Amino acid sequence: MTVRESTFFGFANPVDPRPEELQAWAYHPEAVPLDAMPSDWDLLIAGDVLAPTLFELAMDRQCPARRFAQHCMYIYAADGVRPNASSQRKRRLKKYVERAEEVGDEPMSIWAHNCRVLMTRPELFDYQDWIEGGLVRHPRRLALFGRR
């Protein structure tokens, strides 16, 4: 039985979900709607522990919660370009970007491009775009030069 065929039975701890719980939920997001999750759930889960799962979900064109996973990857990326981000986080982010560039479809290609722009010009960070989901709701390639 694959994750897609399995039923989602809920989170043992929604504030700190296990990767397999998040993956099962992503294929059955109607089981627990996002508005029923803890406040700022996207910020809580967009860290190193769940990043591999979130990235795989964001890459999966068939995942019902794909846009949410992409949103979380934008949060992960924004956190990964901060001056005080760990070198491990920066290396992981670079690997995700490279993989999205190699095998990602258009939304993930745009994500990778935007990550590269932010890595090069962190001053272009915009809270609404990166943290509040603006780049997922209104996908676009950020310009490296020119106006914000």
Side-chain angles (χ1 to χ4, degrees):
M1 181 183 307
T2 68
V3 171
R4 290 181 198 175
E5 295 167 349
S6 67
T7 303
F8 175 67
F9 294 107
F11 296 104
N13 179 1
V15 174
D16 187 20
R18 296 188 317 263
E20 58 274 9
E21 290 175 329
L22 180 62
Q23 187 171 28
W25 169 82
Y27 291 98
H28 303 283
E30 72 287 349
V32 182
L34 282 173
D35 60 4
M37 296 297 189
S39 178
D40 294 328
W41 191 59
D42 52 351
L43 299 174
L44 293 171
I45 68 169
D48 289 324
V49 172
L50 293 173
T53 303
L54 289 165
F55 182 77
E56 291 306 318
L57 295 170
M59 292 284 284
D60 184 354
R61 297 173 190 173
Q62 304 304 312
C63 178
R66 181 182 192 202
R67 284 173 44 100
F68 176 76
Q70 289 169 342
H71 164 62
C72 290
M73 289 307 298
Y74 271 104
I75 294 170
Y76 183 83
D79 194 47
V81 300
R82 291 179 303 119
N84 62 343
S86 71
S87 57
Q88 179 182 8
R89 169 71 67 98
K90 290 178 182 186
R91 280 191 309 274
R92 284 183 179 175
L93 177 58
K94 187 174 184 249
K95 287 182 181 184
Y96 292 135
V97 167
E98 289 169 353
R99 182 148 173 248
E101 289 169 337
E102 290 171 12
V103 297
D105 63 354
E106 185 67 10
M108 290 307 288
S109 174
I110 291 171
W111 173 81
H113 167 84
N114 290 342
C115 289
R116 292 251 186 227
V117 169
L118 194 62
M119 288 175 190
T120 305
R121 303 257 330 265
E123 70 274 11
L124 295 179
F125 170 79
D126 179 80
Y127 190 87
Q128 289 182 322
D129 280 343
W130 289 85
I131 307 301
E132 293 184 350
L135 288 168
V136 174
R137 283 191 304 279
H138 307 288
R140 64 198 180 282
R141 291 180 186 271
L142 299 175
L144 185 56
F145 301 103
R147 300 180 69 203
R148 278 184 168 210

